[in-house]
Amino acid sequence: MTAAIKGSMNSVLERLHLSSGGEAPPPAEPTKEQLEEVQNKYKEASQEQVFAFWDGLSKADKGYLYEQLSSIDPVRVNEIVEKTLHPPAAASNSEEAKVEPLPESATASVLDSDKDDIEKWYSSGLELIAEGKVAVVLMAGGQGTRLGSSDPKGCFNIGLPSDKSLFQIQAERIVRLQELAQKKHGKEKVVLPWYVMTSGPTRKPTEKFFELHKYFGLEKENIQIFEQGVLPCISNDNKILMESKSKVAVAPDGNGGIYQALVTSSVLQNMRERGIKHIHAYCVDNCLVKVADPAFIGFAASKDVDVATKVVRKRNAKEPVGLILLKNDKPDVVEYSEIDQATAEAKDPKQPDVLKFRAANIVNHYYSFRFLETIPEWAHQLPHHVARKKIPYVDTEKGETVKPESPNGIKLEQFVFDVFPRLELNKFASMEVKREDEFSPLKNAKGTGEDDADTSRADILQQGKRWVEAAGGTVTSEQVEHNGVEVSPLISYGGEGLEFLNNQTIKAPAVIEREDS
């Protein structure tokens, strides 16, 4: 979100029933002078259609609409739309871009790094957690619409034997990590604060879900649920669309909205008060995510970088994933469609059996707090991207609600990785991790066979099976499709602490919640 939406949006969203606040009294109808000032602002921006139904609105609806319109800068909206739809020629000409893999000095890989280095990073990361210098930011603004659910995606049950939701799985990893840091460093208590970014439609359901489940064993005061920003939806002829006669159609501003939201929500201030120095940020839909992975935190801290990212090895040259690389000598993410076939298929000269460009982006990032403190200096400069959508709207000439059958407008969004090119190379790093251990996104409806609830469940169960077998246990099953084991995060964060399974036989499918499971 940028200066297109001014001030704190939380109070506005709550009054518009887009947020989680309690029942607030309706805002007062504006005075004649106040109304004229805002009307002139929109008229000068050629967006006066937002007042098409003003005279017929109730006093309360006039108050709601005035408050919403006052929070939007229509001139800035126009500027964003123009710049996004018609970017400078040099910026839009990807053929001129020079791309190279990140240099070895900025990378590491759990696949081929020295085990001593990995253990050193893990130990130092765990120590930073024990000292209360690490926090977690979860990007959880999406609904489970494509999964057949209107609930926040984090509430989704992927079908594990325990019936745990994505939120619960991730929360329990935090619980376990706090315990590991506490025991390792002899602390009376360790706190790993969790900041959960939602959107307008998901904030209240998320808060209720956390409350219903007693915050999954975490302390309420160490969880802060906040809300990303919104931007108006724009028609194909560049007009601000109305959702109803008294409400502008808005949409979340993309995962790149996290930066501005950290500031406007007071999350950054809370981190400052807690003495946080290192932040892990990730997306809710990855059931295998190692929340606040000590090795990743330690790796990034040891390099003294401002941003680091986890990547997985691209499966093959045709896999449609964004790649972390150098673009014109700056860290960046380049989409699959921007790379020609020869570049996609190029082999690594030092490892001829793997791709030269293989670092697949999984939206799993580290930030230094000192870098996040600079957000106000650059957030307004991040680019926006167009998502062409079918957007229901009210026809401002006929007064009728229209549900279009084809895309009739755009939603503007920012991407979290758009900040990468702002960094000097010595302040950016990348860590390659094993896909089967750390990346299994939930994107599609059950039964599609790829990135759906079935694959997410299978990946967790197969990981548990590997952990049991590594601990000396044996897993048996009468069914080929159900031969995995669910190991509760409460007893093992990454395969540790399972020595009690040595010489034990586990009949799958099974759940191991405690030593006597």
Side-chain angles (χ1 to χ4, degrees):
M1 191 170 81
T2 69
I5 306 288
K6 301 184 298 183
S8 172
M9 278 300 295
N10 286 342
S11 61
V12 177
L13 292 169
E14 286 167 5
R15 289 181 182 275
L16 293 170
H17 311 296
L18 296 175
S19 186
S20 61
E23 289 299 321
E29 181 180 358
T31 64
K32 181 180 179 181
E33 291 76 16
Q34 289 173 325
L35 177 60
E36 287 181 351
E37 181 181 355
V38 174
Q39 283 179 325
N40 288 336
K41 182 171 66 171
Y42 280 82
K43 186 175 182 179
E44 291 171 4
S46 298
Q47 297 286 4
E48 63 269 21
Q49 77 284 349
V50 297
F51 289 98
F53 309 105
W54 182 266
D55 291 340
L57 298 179
S58 66
K59 288 185 177 182
D61 283 343
K62 285 181 178 179
Y64 286 129
L65 180 57
Y66 171 77
E67 188 166 72
Q68 186 185 27
L69 293 175
S70 296
S71 72
I72 299 171
D73 180 352
V75 173
R76 176 61 177 153
V77 170
N78 288 348
E79 291 173 352
I80 292 172
V81 172
E82 175 62 24
K83 190 173 182 179
T84 304
L85 292 178
H86 306 287
S92 63
N93 189 354
S94 61
E95 293 180 358
E96 297 180 1
K98 180 183 71 173
V99 296
E100 287 292 336
L102 290 173
E104 291 184 6
S105 60
T107 64
S109 174
V110 300
L111 281 69
D112 50 32
S113 289
D114 189 299
K115 288 186 177 180
D116 290 341
D117 285 338
I118 297 174
E119 290 176 1
K120 180 176 65 177
W121 295 330
Y122 179 90
S123 295
S124 63
L126 197 64
E127 184 175 6
L128 290 170
I129 292 171
E131 292 173 350
K133 295 180 179 179
V134 179
V136 177
V137 176
L138 167 60
M139 291 174 275
Q143 292 173 285
T145 308
R146 292 171 66 181
L147 311 177
S149 170
S150 60
D151 292 331
K153 191 178 283 188
C155 301
F156 198 79
N157 175 356
I158 61 175
L160 290 172
S162 67
D163 287 327
K164 290 179 181 178
S165 65
L166 292 172
F167 278 141
Q168 183 168 354
I169 293 167
Q170 293 161 23
E172 290 183 352
R173 287 181 185 143
I174 294 176
V175 172
R176 174 64 176 172
L177 204 48
Q178 289 178 160
E179 292 176 352
L180 289 172
Q182 181 182 351
K183 293 177 182 178
K184 172 76 173 181
H185 293 280
K187 298 287 185 177
E188 183 177 336
K189 182 179 182 180
V190 169
V191 172
L192 186 54
W194 199 17
Y195 302 93
V196 182
M197 186 177 80
T198 64
S199 61
T202 64
R203 182 171 183 174
K204 183 175 286 186
T206 297
E207 290 176 333
K208 288 184 176 179
F209 194 76
F210 272 61
E211 184 177 356
L212 177 65
H213 293 275
K214 302 186 187 310
Y215 302 91
F216 311 106
L218 294 167
E219 294 175 320
K220 180 180 178 180
E221 58 265 31
N222 296 321
I223 297 175
Q224 183 172 336
I225 297 174
F226 65 108
E227 198 167 314
Q228 70 184 106
V230 295
L231 284 169
C233 299
I234 308 297
S235 70
N236 286 337
D237 56 357
N238 297 351
K239 297 296 184 180
I240 294 174
L241 289 169
M242 299 296 291
E243 177 184 327
S244 69
K245 293 181 178 181
S246 60
K247 186 187 297 183
V248 171
V250 296
D253 54 2
N255 58 22
I258 185 175
Y259 301 116
Q260 192 73 15
L262 288 174
V263 176
T264 59
S265 66
S266 78
V267 165
L268 212 59
Q269 177 60 28
N270 187 270
M271 289 180 179
R272 186 179 296 108
E273 293 169 356
R274 289 175 180 267
I276 299 298
K277 300 298 181 184
H278 312 276
I279 296 92
H280 178 223
Y282 69 96
C283 288
V284 72
D285 62 2
N286 180 11
C287 67
L288 291 181
V289 63
K290 296 183 77 171
V291 184
D293 177 14
F296 185 43
I297 299 295
F299 162 73
S302 71
K303 286 188 167 294
D304 193 31
V305 296
D306 284 329
V307 177
T309 183
K310 279 190 176 184
V311 299
V312 297
R313 190 164 292 184
K314 191 176 178 181
R315 287 193 179 106
N316 54 61
K318 294 184 178 180
E319 185 181 9
V321 293
L323 296 173
I324 306 285
L325 42 64
L326 283 184
K327 181 178 178 181
N328 295 331
D329 300 319
K330 291 287 188 178
D332 209 339
V333 173
V334 174
E335 295 301 332
Y336 170 73
S337 59
E338 299 178 58
I339 297 178
D340 60 46
Q341 184 176 348
T343 302
E345 294 178 350
K347 299 293 185 179
D348 187 335
K350 295 183 178 181
Q351 300 181 70
D353 58 331
V354 299
L355 296 170
K356 179 180 180 180
F357 296 96
R358 58 183 180 273
N361 176 36
I362 60 173
V363 196
N364 191 321
H365 308 310
Y366 161 94
Y367 298 95
S368 70
F369 181 76
R370 70 184 175 216
F371 178 70
L372 294 184
E373 279 198 302
T374 68
I375 288 173
E377 300 172 14
W378 47 259
H380 63 286
Q381 299 174 3
L382 293 183
H384 289 77
H385 306 268
V386 170
R388 297 197 177 276
K389 301 285 186 178
K390 293 183 286 187
I391 306 170
Y393 69 102
V394 172
D395 187 315
T396 52
E397 293 183 1
K398 300 179 181 179
E400 300 172 352
T401 299
V402 180
K403 293 185 178 180
E405 297 181 357
S406 60
N408 64 308
I410 62 173
K411 295 182 179 181
L412 297 163
E413 56 187 5
Q414 294 179 307
F415 297 155
V416 69
F417 56 74
D418 282 330
V419 73
F420 292 179
R422 301 187 61 83
L423 295 154
E424 296 299 325
L425 185 53
N426 65 352
K427 290 300 180 183
F428 184 86
S430 176
M431 173 182 273
E432 182 185 58
V433 297
K434 293 181 180 179
R435 186 187 292 251
E436 63 268 28
D437 285 339
E438 299 203 35
F439 186 55
S440 180
L442 178 61
K443 303 289 187 184
N444 303 315
K446 182 179 173 65
T448 57
E450 182 177 352
D451 295 343
D452 64 7
D454 294 332
T455 58
S456 293
R457 180 182 65 253
D459 286 342
I460 283 187
L461 296 180
Q462 288 305 307
Q463 182 185 65
K465 180 182 179 182
R466 292 194 299 272
W467 289 355
V468 170
E469 292 174 342
T474 301
V475 179
T476 63
S477 176
E478 296 177 357
Q479 302 176 0
V480 176
E481 294 183 0
H482 303 286
N483 64 347
V485 177
E486 180 184 357
V487 177
S488 170
L490 294 174
I491 65 167
S492 186
Y493 174 85
E496 82 294 333
L498 300 177
E499 297 80 8
F500 66 93
L501 294 174
N502 187 35
N503 295 323
Q504 298 291 315
T505 298
I506 307 296
K507 186 176 180 180
V511 184
I512 301 176
E513 291 276 8
R514 55 187 184 276
E515 288 198 19
D516 59 346
S517 293

